[in-house]
Amino acid sequence: MSLEKYRKKRNFTRTPEPEGEATETNRCIYVIQEHHASHLHWDLRLEANGVLKSWALPKDPPREVGVRRLAVPFEDHPIEYADFEGKIAEGQYGTGQVTIWDRGTYEPVFFGDDKIVVNIDGNKLKGKYCLIKSKFQGRDGWLLFKMKQ
Ligand code: MN
């Protein structure tokens, strides 16, 4: 895992976002940030191998079984990003306000390259969730949904 892509997109003299290092924590951090960028979206992040694997959800995260959401993969973010809230300035990558929508930990059930199953223990999301690589309305992406226990 590398933060090269993450760093290339940002100018750390102009954004309050953390530059960060890949850091092993074994805490299994789970966080979703609400991001008021040009299009409102929610960024789901799961700690894996010293970074936060990241997906952008164009619609609000699914709280109930039966709701499927597109999850577009984005570059790995540093662990410190799990605590980030703030305003990304005009003209910078991801311009807009970022707030933490939910956070907690997860327990990995299955962690593969194109399928991930996790037990999420957050304040808003709780229970078993599946992320699976899939075509969604003709686009390459992932699907996120809550599973029956
Ligand atoms: Mn975002």
Side-chain angles (χ1 to χ4, degrees):
M1 300 279 173
S2 155
L3 296 173
E4 198 181 327
K5 236 179 176 176
Y6 171 85
R7 290 191 175 135
K8 264 197 185 142
K9 288 183 174 179
R10 292 168 175 80
N11 176 347
F12 293 100
T13 64
R14 300 232 168 121
T15 176
E17 297 166 293
E19 193 166 354
E21 292 288 333
T23 320
E24 294 288 345
T25 78
N26 298 316
R27 277 181 286 155
C28 287
I29 296 167
Y30 144 78
V31 65
I32 294 179
Q33 280 144 326
E34 183 173 319
H35 188 178
H36 291 258
S38 50
H39 293 279
L40 170 63
H41 62 273
W42 288 261
D43 290 304
L44 165 67
R45 309 190 197 281
L46 297 175
E47 176 183 357
N49 302 315
V51 295
L52 298 174
K53 286 186 74 68
S54 300
W55 294 262
L57 314 176
K59 288 188 178 171
D60 59 313
R63 299 200 204 199
E64 284 157 30
V65 174
V67 181
R68 290 158 157 247
R69 291 287 187 249
L70 173 66
V72 181
F74 270 84
E75 71 275 12
D76 297 339
H77 278 48
I79 295 293
E80 293 94 313
Y81 210 94
D83 298 317
F84 176 71
E85 290 191 301
K87 192 166 171 62
I88 301 169
E90 206 64 43
Q92 300 306 302
Y93 178 71
T95 303
Q97 189 72 40
V98 176
T99 54
I100 293 170
W101 183 84
D102 191 24
R103 68 176 302 169
T105 56
Y106 75 89
E107 180 198 337
V109 177
F110 179 82
F111 224 101
D113 287 339
D114 41 24
K115 185 180 176 185
I116 293 170
V117 178
V118 287
N119 257 316
I120 292 180
D121 184 13
N123 290 315
K124 291 179 178 160
L125 298 196
K126 279 187 193 294
K128 202 191 262 181
Y129 279 79
C130 180
L131 270 157
I132 191 159
K133 221 181 235 180
S134 146
K135 286 260 183 208
F136 189 82
Q137 293 169 351
R139 294 165 69 185
D140 277 326
W142 291 61
L143 281 177
L144 171 68
F145 56 91
K146 186 172 186 176
M147 299 171 81
K148 289 178 191 151
Q149 290 304 307

